[in-house]
Amino acid sequence: MPSEVRKTRIGMIVPSSNTCLEPQSYRILGDRDDVTIHFTRIPVTRIALDDSSDKQFDPAVMRTAAELLATADVDVIAWNGTSGSWLGAGHDRELVGEIVDATGIPATTSTLAYLAAFESFSMERIGLFTPYTADVNHAIMASYERDGIKTIGHRALGLSDNESFARVTEDEMRPGSLELAAARPDALVYLCTNLYGANIAAEVESETGVPVLDSVAVTLWHCLKLAGSPLLAPRWGRLLTD
């Protein structure tokens, strides 16, 4: 007979060329045995401000992916990508509506997870670090501004090939991170679910006193909140704790 004890199940829709978020999500969970994560992929290979890039994030594609995850009886579904940060939060709110309508399961996205964190922690000023090109960063800043979030400094590594983001090293992230933190934002934001920002969160927080919000950690944090499960260990961002 099936066990009556059921672990929390999180469903995640993953960009196809992302090699970070799956292993990193489980690394963040550590030795916890109360949560399992289940993934499905959609085609995403390039991040830019043009129609061919935008089409990768079509709600119909997301809906089909969510319907597949729903067959695993997951407790929450997340689009684990940051496209809503430049397409606009409204895009992701509509996407969540599509997912909930199709599956009846609570849903979120990386962008909506960030907005929930900004509200939860009363944040209005951020330092933004991404692997993207500068024009994408400026679109993100404009989108955040519409939601009341001011970017007081930003760094863009100038990459557009999604697979390459996960190959950014910690040594490449540190200098820009410390420069952004020196302006004393409410948080340093590592925006990209294919970037290993969470690995240096505790180090940067300890050295600068500025909270760090990493996309993989923030998305997982919001999924756990929606599922009513314990949150994260402080090493992945001291604000995201249980």
Side-chain angles (χ1 to χ4, degrees):
M1 295 290 291
S3 171
E4 294 183 4
V5 178
R6 187 182 181 286
K7 300 178 181 182
T8 296
R9 297 176 186 170
I10 296 172
M12 291 184 175
I13 303 170
V14 181
S16 60
S17 52
N18 187 309
T19 60
C20 167
L21 76 84
E22 291 158 310
Q24 187 75 321
S25 293
Y26 268 111
R27 187 175 293 118
I28 291 170
L29 285 178
D31 60 0
R32 287 178 59 171
D33 62 1
D34 62 316
V35 180
T36 60
I37 310 177
H38 309 276
F39 306 94
T40 191
R41 290 179 174 244
I42 64 167
V44 177
T45 59
R46 177 174 164 271
I47 301 303
L49 301 182
D50 57 45
D51 288 344
S52 64
S53 176
D54 292 351
K55 287 178 181 177
Q56 298 173 117
F57 311 111
D58 188 292
V61 176
M62 300 281 190
R63 184 180 180 118
T64 299
E67 288 171 340
L68 288 174
L69 287 169
T71 66
D73 194 23
V74 295
D75 297 295
V76 61
I77 294 173
W79 157 231
N80 208 330
T82 54
S83 54
S85 297
W86 60 89
L87 295 176
H91 176 275
D92 276 18
R93 292 187 182 103
E94 290 180 11
L95 174 60
V96 163
E98 287 267 351
I99 292 173
V100 174
D101 180 64
T103 67
I105 296 170
T108 189
T109 73
S110 296
T111 297
L112 298 183
Y114 266 120
L115 293 177
F118 296 152
E119 182 178 3
S120 292
F121 309 128
S122 300
M123 293 176 170
E124 297 178 348
R125 302 162 63 257
I126 65 167
L128 178 67
F129 187 106
T130 84
Y132 308 137
T133 53
D135 61 338
V136 174
N137 267 26
H138 285 290
I140 292 166
M141 290 186 282
S143 175
Y144 275 177
E145 185 85 26
R146 291 192 291 272
D147 282 291
I149 305 300
K150 181 176 178 59
T151 304
I152 63 172
H154 78 102
R155 297 293 181 277
L157 297 182
L159 304 174
S160 58
D161 173 24
N162 194 65
E163 185 277 331
S164 70
F165 303 160
R167 291 187 275 113
V168 174
T169 67
E170 294 174 10
D171 287 341
E172 290 172 311
M173 288 188 277
R174 283 191 184 93
S177 301
L178 297 178
E179 289 169 6
L180 290 169
R184 310 306 298 172
D186 295 331
L188 172 62
V189 170
Y190 289 120
L191 191 77
C192 177
T193 64
N194 202 22
L195 186 72
Y196 283 93
N199 287 354
I200 60 172
E203 173 189 334
V204 172
E205 289 184 338
S206 176
E207 185 167 343
T208 69
V210 174
V212 171
L213 296 177
D214 163 80
S215 293
V216 177
V218 167
T219 307
L220 182 55
W221 165 84
H222 200 220
C223 287
L224 292 168
K225 278 189 67 117
L226 290 174
S229 294
L231 304 180
L232 306 180
R235 65 170 291 193
W236 307 109
R238 66 173 188 247
L239 298 180
L240 306 179
T241 60
D242 54 2

